[in-house]
Amino acid sequence: MRVILTGGITGGHIYPALAIANQFKEFDSDAEFLYLGSDEGMERYIVPRYGYELKYIDSRWFDRSSPFKLAKTLFKNERGKRQAISVMKQFKPDFVMSTGSFVSVPVVLAAKSLKIPVYIHEQNAYPGVANKLLSKYARRVFLGFEAARKYFPSEKVVYTGNPVRSEFGEQNRECARDELGIPQNDFVVLIFGGSLGAETINDIGLEIVNKYGNDDNVTILFGTGKDYFEHVKTRLNAGGKEAPTNVRVMPYISEMAKMLSASNVIICRSGALSTAEVTMAGRAAVFVPSPNVTGDHQYYNAKAVADNGGAVLITENGDVELRVLNALKALSADATLLEDMEEGSLKSAPVDAAKIICEEIISDVKARRK
């Protein structure tokens, strides 16, 4: 089987595509994959690291702020469509698997023009523009959250949950701490705002460092996002002081599965990918949903886990740093509460999402060939 993957810019679109590809390889060890992405996105760093071939095509987000910018969008996506058609004629895929973002638009349109089957996965409770637009060309639309069902043609929808790479469910705390050099008895807090970073999460992280920096039996893992790394380092080193020795600050978390597994509490946004990875690892979380997303979907992502007892949901208003610190204090003082939250988190995990998606696609492809 030959598969084209597309979807990019952020890890939230890229990692689900890779999880699906990894699962496909378990069904068909001879399967071949080609990833079509943007040279402006995180795929240029992530995809090659996981051993998949990556090619760039032109694409642009939908900018309707002026006729000129809209024309530029249409021109660039049309050029990307022609590029994708050329690639597909050479690669001859059996189908295209798209996980969204604007880079998927020219790829899916190219597949439609060549009559190549398209399958889409939507990660969020409120779908993105690209997936809503392109769903008319898809044979199946797989959903990360049931709440997104009403936005797509009902006959195409299959609820699966969000696919997560198997490594997130295969780690254990003791081994992860050994490999990361973290003391086994420490209380470990992991703070991150995604691959690009989030200012509010970083502000919260700095307050946690002020509170727990240099405390015995505490380790703080702090992923700032690449856009905020220098700013956070400057604040940590203000006045010539050095960052506390129990704090690890990094621009990007490349070993997320290990760090989640090693942790006691996760403090982060509640994008679809982060929510799925945290729950697959079975870790207690303090979710601070971004208020600046379409349909407030991060709130509903977090609420789904909180309703199962796996997370504390704290909205970004008022003194958010103080409320997160109070939640962290309560969690660090109550081991039984933490254990209960870990059970609730794992209960929310999309354990078989990638498997369900692959089985659905394989069945549909075989049916079309008869």
Side-chain angles (χ1 to χ4, degrees), residues 113-148:
S113 71
L114 295 175
K115 296 183 171 55
I116 296 168
V118 172
Y119 302 91
I120 285 174
H121 184 273
E122 170 55 53
Q123 296 84 48
N124 292 297
Y126 188 91
V129 173
N131 278 348
K132 284 199 288 185
L133 174 70
L134 299 173
S135 63
K136 67 179 78 172
Y137 308 124
R139 292 191 56 78
R140 298 283 188 278
V141 179
F142 303 110
L143 302 182
F145 288 89
E146 275 282 7

Side-chain angles (χ1 to χ4, degrees), residues 2 50 54 69 76 107 129 135 140 147-148 157 175-176 189 194-195 217 228 246 252 269 293 325 336 351 370:
R2 298 170 70 81
Y50 284 86
L54 171 66
K69 290 181 178 178
K76 197 161 187 179
V107 179
V129 173
S135 63
R140 298 283 188 278
V157 168
C175 291
V189 183
S195 54
N217 303 121
Y228 293 92
N246 65 332
Y252 181 76
R269 292 297 200 195
V293 294
L325 280 171
T336 302
V351 177
K370 288 181 180 179

Side-chain angles (χ1 to χ4, degrees), residues 24-33:
F24 259 113
K25 287 196 289 189
E26 294 190 22
F27 285 102
D28 181 1
S29 59
D30 295 323
E32 297 180 47
F33 299 88

